[in-house]
Amino acid sequence: MFSPKRVLVLAPHTDDAELGCGGTMARWIDEGAEMFTAVFSIAETSLPPGSPRDRLKSECNEALDQIGVPTENRFIYNYPVRELGYHRQEVLEHMVGLSSEVRPDVILTPSGADLHQDHNVVFQESLRAFRHLTIMGYELPWNHITFSTHAFVVLSEDHLLRKWKALMKYDSQIELQRPYFRYEAIEAMARVRGMQVRSVYAEAYEMIRIRL
Ligand SMILES: [Zn+2]
């Protein structure tokens, strides 16, 4: 059985972790894993007009409360959205620091097929920092042309509901009518991935590196 003990989720922006792997985080926490999350941008300019600049940071903390990530296991940095490419070295240095501080055995990172510029930076730097570990790429279908479904984490209805309750904390993104902040979309994705492995719900991963 593959059962990680210490998991570090790398999120370019607030909400990427919950969207890509929120169900898996809930499941592995239930199974006793210590869960850590690093967010590199709180996307201060991706907000409805008049919002406090740190609105997404507050929403992210509420979302991680829902999933069950302890407060002390959250690392939230504030690089400008779409400009992580200009801060590549700082991003790498944070990851190298997290490697010794967190001592993870599994890394969840954006997929190598993710076309968003910030997601691509986090993917590439995560390979540099964590290439000695198991690395799994999570799925954000609106950012991919292709995605290889190498691995699946089967979810219960409770895991899926915790993912959805976490996403519901992102009022700012719901106000902006992001199409992926809809229960139908989240449920349908989990159902399709579940169907591929003869379960009801699942999240799919690209396996980038495996260390067993
Ligand atoms: Zn993102």
Side-chain angles (χ1 to χ4, degrees), residues 15-28:
D15 81 17
D16 291 320
E18 298 86 343
L19 285 164
C21 54
T24 301
M25 293 167 76
R27 173 176 161 174
W28 284 349

Side-chain angles (χ1 to χ4, degrees), residues 107-148:
I107 303 296
L108 301 182
T109 196
S111 148
D114 194 313
L115 295 173
H116 190 293
Q117 58 272 52
D118 289 341
H119 294 210
N120 185 258
V121 168
V122 170
F123 165 75
Q124 289 184 346
E125 299 310 323
S126 70
L127 297 199
R128 288 199 177 89
F130 300 109
R131 61 187 179 275
H132 55 298
L133 298 175
T134 294
I135 307 179
M136 301 167 66
Y138 54 76
E139 182 178 30
L140 299 169
W142 46 92
N143 284 348
H144 304 151
I145 293 173
T146 59
F147 181 79
S148 297

Side-chain angles (χ1 to χ4, degrees), residues 10 40-41 77 79 83-98 118 121-126 129-130:
L10 301 172
F40 291 90
S41 172
Y77 310 111
Y79 292 99
E83 293 184 19
L84 284 189
Y86 300 116
H87 300 278
R88 193 175 274 279
Q89 186 59 26
E90 291 106 303
V91 168
L92 175 61
E93 284 168 17
H94 285 304
M95 290 183 190
V96 170
L98 289 168
D118 289 341
V121 168
V122 170
F123 165 75
Q124 289 184 346
E125 299 310 323
S126 70
F130 300 109

Side-chain angles (χ1 to χ4, degrees), residues 142-160:
W142 46 92
N143 284 348
H144 304 151
I145 293 173
T146 59
F147 181 79
S148 297
T149 55
H150 298 142
F152 295 82
V153 175
V154 171
L155 303 178
S156 68
E157 190 170 10
D158 175 66
H159 301 137
L160 181 68

